[in-house]
Amino acid sequence: MKIEEMPGYGYPALAYWLQYWHEANKWQIKEYKLLSDGNLKWFNQYYEVKPGSIRSSCFDIKNDALAYVDYENSHISSRVSTLNLSEIEKSSIKLKVEKAIEAKRRLMYEEELMLTAAINKFKNTKRPTLEEIILPKREENFKNDLFTQLQEMPYLRMAFVQGENKQGIIYKNLKNEWSRSYHPTKKTLIYTERSKIANAFNLNGDNHWGDTKARIRKELLPIASKLLQLESVKKLLKEAQAKGQKVLISNGYVFWYEDNGNIGWQIKQVKQNESDNALGNTIWKEGTILSKNHGRLVILPYIKENGDYVQGHTKNAPHDGPAKPRVPSEYLELPFEILEDDLMISLFGELKYE
């Protein structure tokens, strides 16, 4: 097949991202391309090895793939500027592209944080020995791979395993026995990746992923509050306070400082926007958060699809009941700073779990 025949060929690539390719255990490069009808769509990136031989662009190491897309995405503005469009159309396209990349990045770091928390939660749990792993006789060739995975994630109940040129999806029952293997599909491979997080919180990887992550966020909030006890965090917050900073945001959590009532520093959660539609709106990194209540969720300023700007604010989650209001004289209008995305992941790694 010629590279000219590959899907998306000929359309301009404006941005790039990485996607895990389960079957090959590689990170595949995706291109965000502008179609002739004005829509944007993701395509695999391909390159020609030799005439008639096409390969998908992949990296073996995630950080290498991330470095590549980060470099390419630093040129989004210059790519958009070369399009044969009006300035208004270019501005709209640029906003949509940056919004899509921001959403991808936010989801990636959120799930990395949850995986870190999942593994840490079981770091003191006894690992099974090779002999304790019970598999059907015909599946014994998967034992070594499963053993390796359980050394890192002893809580797994669903796993993608490989052995002797064979692959399969297996499940663990209540008797601690593993099932026969099932042929992996694109959907079940996604479920096994999600199980690496969900199973640690006694949830299933094949349930609705948005609902599952919402439950995990809620469970992690009191654990995240323990960050305030870490010396490294105390130093970070002391330095921030000296610079007049009172709202620091990292990976879905907020370090929030209040003078009134001797509250001091506390942890809140970020809800990205009112609809929580990752692709529908884009975070606006400038502006302030106006808090008229004591809600535990912080909504960052954002721009709607139609270009309208929404002020950052605080609120409660839907099932929390109304947030306790502040009297007008105690309204807080605070600037915020977004810290490095991987900061919270490294901080979670320092937490001590029971």
Side-chain angles (χ1 to χ4, degrees), residues 75-139:
H75 299 92
I76 289 174
S77 293
S78 59
R79 291 195 190 97
V80 173
S81 68
T82 64
L83 299 174
N84 187 24
L85 299 171
S86 69
E87 290 305 313
I88 293 177
E89 289 172 320
K90 288 179 183 178
S91 178
S92 176
I93 291 294
K94 180 174 178 287
L95 185 64
K96 288 179 180 178
V97 172
E98 290 178 341
K99 167 175 65 179
I101 297 302
E102 182 182 288
K104 293 281 189 184
R105 186 180 304 280
R106 190 169 69 233
L107 289 172
M108 181 186 76
Y109 280 118
E110 177 186 59
E111 291 175 11
E112 284 183 356
L113 173 65
M114 289 183 174
L115 180 60
T116 296
I119 292 172
N120 280 353
K121 187 177 179 181
F122 285 82
K123 68 180 182 181
N124 295 322
T125 300
K126 181 179 177 294
R127 272 53 177 166
T129 64
L130 197 63
E131 293 72 25
E132 289 172 333
I133 296 175
I134 304 172
L135 284 165
K137 281 189 177 181
R138 55 184 287 185
E139 313 291 4

Side-chain angles (χ1 to χ4, degrees), residues 137-202:
K137 281 189 177 181
R138 55 184 287 185
E139 313 291 4
E140 285 288 322
N141 58 325
F142 292 133
K143 182 173 279 194
N144 286 334
D145 185 22
L146 180 60
F147 173 78
T148 300
Q149 293 187 51
L150 293 177
Q151 298 314 294
E152 182 179 29
M153 296 169 282
Y155 53 83
L156 277 183
R157 301 197 304 260
M158 179 183 185
F160 169 58
V161 287
Q162 303 181 77
E164 297 180 10
N165 300 317
K166 184 181 177 183
Q167 299 177 331
I169 304 289
I170 57 175
Y171 305 82
K172 188 168 73 170
N173 62 23
L174 296 176
K175 296 180 180 179
N176 211 32
E177 300 169 336
W178 290 88
S179 71
R180 68 178 180 85
S181 63
Y182 295 86
H183 178 71
T185 65
K186 185 176 182 179
K187 184 175 288 187
T188 56
L189 286 168
I190 291 173
Y191 292 160
T192 58
E193 282 301 303
R194 293 175 176 176
S195 293
K196 293 176 181 179
I197 297 172
N199 289 173
F201 300 93
N202 203 28

Side-chain angles (χ1 to χ4, degrees), residues 112-307:
E112 284 183 356
L113 173 65
M114 289 183 174
L115 180 60
T116 296
I119 292 172
N120 280 353
K121 187 177 179 181
F122 285 82
K123 68 180 182 181
N124 295 322
T125 300
K126 181 179 177 294
R127 272 53 177 166
T129 64
L130 197 63
E131 293 72 25
E132 289 172 333
I133 296 175
I134 304 172
L135 284 165
K137 281 189 177 181
R138 55 184 287 185
E139 313 291 4
E140 285 288 322
N141 58 325
F142 292 133
K143 182 173 279 194
N144 286 334
D145 185 22
L146 180 60
F147 173 78
T148 300
Q149 293 187 51
L150 293 177
Q151 298 314 294
E152 182 179 29
M153 296 169 282
Y155 53 83
L156 277 183
R157 301 197 304 260
M158 179 183 185
F160 169 58
V161 287
Q162 303 181 77
E164 297 180 10
N165 300 317
K166 184 181 177 183
Q167 299 177 331
I169 304 289
I170 57 175
Y171 305 82
K172 188 168 73 170
N173 62 23
L174 296 176
K175 296 180 180 179
N176 211 32
E177 300 169 336
W178 290 88
S179 71
R180 68 178 180 85
S181 63
Y182 295 86
H183 178 71
T185 65
K186 185 176 182 179
K187 184 175 288 187
T188 56
L189 286 168
I190 291 173
Y191 292 160
T192 58
E193 282 301 303
R194 293 175 176 176
S195 293
K196 293 176 181 179
I197 297 172
N199 289 173
F201 300 93
N202 203 28
L203 301 168
N204 295 325
D206 55 356
N207 288 347
H208 186 280
W209 191 225
D211 292 343
T212 298
K213 289 202 293 184
R215 293 175 65 178
I216 293 172
R217 285 189 211 104
K218 189 173 182 179
E219 183 171 333
L220 288 181
L221 187 59
I223 298 173
S225 295
K226 295 180 182 179
L227 290 170
L228 299 174
Q229 302 168 15
L230 296 178
E231 290 302 320
S232 57
V233 174
K234 289 179 182 178
K235 181 181 178 183
L236 171 75
L237 298 180
K238 185 177 181 180
E239 292 172 351
Q241 194 174 348
K243 293 186 288 186
Q245 296 173 337
K246 297 185 178 182
V247 181
L248 304 177
I249 297 161
S250 178
N251 211 322
Y253 292 94
V254 181
F255 298 101
W256 179 280
Y257 183 83
E258 290 199 30
D259 295 302
N260 294 337
N262 294 318
I263 293 175
W265 287 100
Q266 57 185 311
I267 295 281
K268 293 180 181 284
Q269 276 184 270
V270 172
K271 189 172 187 290
Q272 303 297 350
N273 51 58
E274 294 291 5
S275 66
D276 211 18
N277 179 351
L279 293 178
N281 307 294
T282 185
I283 291 176
W284 190 250
K285 294 184 174 64
E286 299 174 1
T288 59
I289 297 164
L290 178 60
S291 177
K292 297 182 179 181
N293 55 54
H294 294 276
R296 67 180 181 87
L297 299 181
V298 176
I299 288 64
L300 301 182
Y302 65 93
I303 300 175
K304 290 184 176 180
E305 191 86 29
N306 62 9

Side-chain angles (χ1 to χ4, degrees), residues 16 29 31 45 59 63-73:
Y16 300 80
I29 301 301
E31 299 178 327
Q45 184 185 73
F59 287 83
N63 284 343
D64 292 344
L66 192 57
Y68 171 80
V69 299
D70 282 346
Y71 173 77
E72 292 293 345
N73 290 337

